[in-house]
Every structure is written in C-alpha cells, then in structure tokens.
Amino acid sequence: VTSSTPRDSSAAAIAASGLLDLAKQLAGTDGVTAAKYRSAAEKILTSLSSAAYLSENTNSRGTLRHATINYPLNPPIADDSSSMADRYFLQAVSRYQS
C-alpha cells in the first residue's frame, strides 16, 4: 500500500459490518473483545459518514464516494460510487443502531 493506492469505501463498509456482527456474536461470552470490535466499527462508520466519503452535494449517484471496483485493472476503476459500498454501509449502520 502506497500513497497512490486508491481508497476503498466498499472494503471499509464491509469491514465495519463484519466487525459489528462479530461484536454481537461475542457480546455474551467475551464482552471485552466485543467492545473492541464495536469501537473499531464505530471509527470506520464515523469516517465513512464524514464529508470526505458521503456524496452529499456532489454529482455522485451513490451514497458513498471513493469505492474501488476493480483494482487489478490497469488503471483500476477507483474513486467512484458503488452499489456494494452503499449496501454494506447501510447494513453496518443498521447493525450499529440495533
């Protein structure tokens, strides 16, 4: 990973959603680890909810900006909106609120 590696909001949204799922599964048996996972997911969601990632007041058709769709492609399809990013972002927000 270098400074020229594109950001990927879809990967971040998937990670946040997964961390929240893990936190829920561990809540009854390992509250300390569950809290760490939830805190990490909260940091990711805070970042994704910021003006740097939300597409408010832009021409984007998606909710999140800065998704990478096909990194192996040269050049990659990056810095765009993606339905997968939006889907997992909304799933993570829903899991966070419940």
Side-chain angles (χ1 to χ4, degrees), residues 9-21 38 41-42 44-46 48-49 64 84-98:
S9 59
S10 59
I14 290 167
S17 185
L19 286 165
L20 289 166
D21 189 34
R38 185 169 176 82
E42 183 175 10
I44 294 169
L45 288 175
T46 298
L48 291 176
S49 299
L64 291 178
M84 293 304 289
D86 292 351
R87 180 216 187 276
Y88 283 101
F89 176 66
L90 295 175
Q91 181 183 63
V93 169
S94 176
R95 286 180 174 176
Y96 181 74
Q97 291 176 336
S98 62

Side-chain angles (χ1 to χ4, degrees), residues 11-98:
I14 290 167
S17 185
L19 286 165
L20 289 166
D21 189 34
L22 287 169
K24 182 178 179 180
Q25 298 300 319
L26 291 172
T29 58
D30 188 352
V32 172
T33 302
K36 288 179 184 178
Y37 287 163
R38 185 169 176 82
S39 176
E42 183 175 10
K43 288 176 185 176
I44 294 169
L45 288 175
T46 298
S47 179
L48 291 176
S49 299
S50 72
Y53 286 93
L54 283 181
S55 61
E56 288 181 317
N57 302 318
T58 69
N59 292 331
S60 176
R61 290 180 277 171
T63 302
L64 291 178
R65 299 181 296 150
H66 307 305
T68 299
I69 298 164
N70 189 347
Y71 185 74
L73 190 66
N74 191 6
I77 300 171
D79 208 27
D80 203 351
S81 60
S82 159
S83 60
M84 293 304 289
D86 292 351
R87 180 216 187 276
Y88 283 101
F89 176 66
L90 295 175
Q91 181 183 63
V93 169
S94 176
R95 286 180 174 176
Y96 181 74
Q97 291 176 336
S98 62

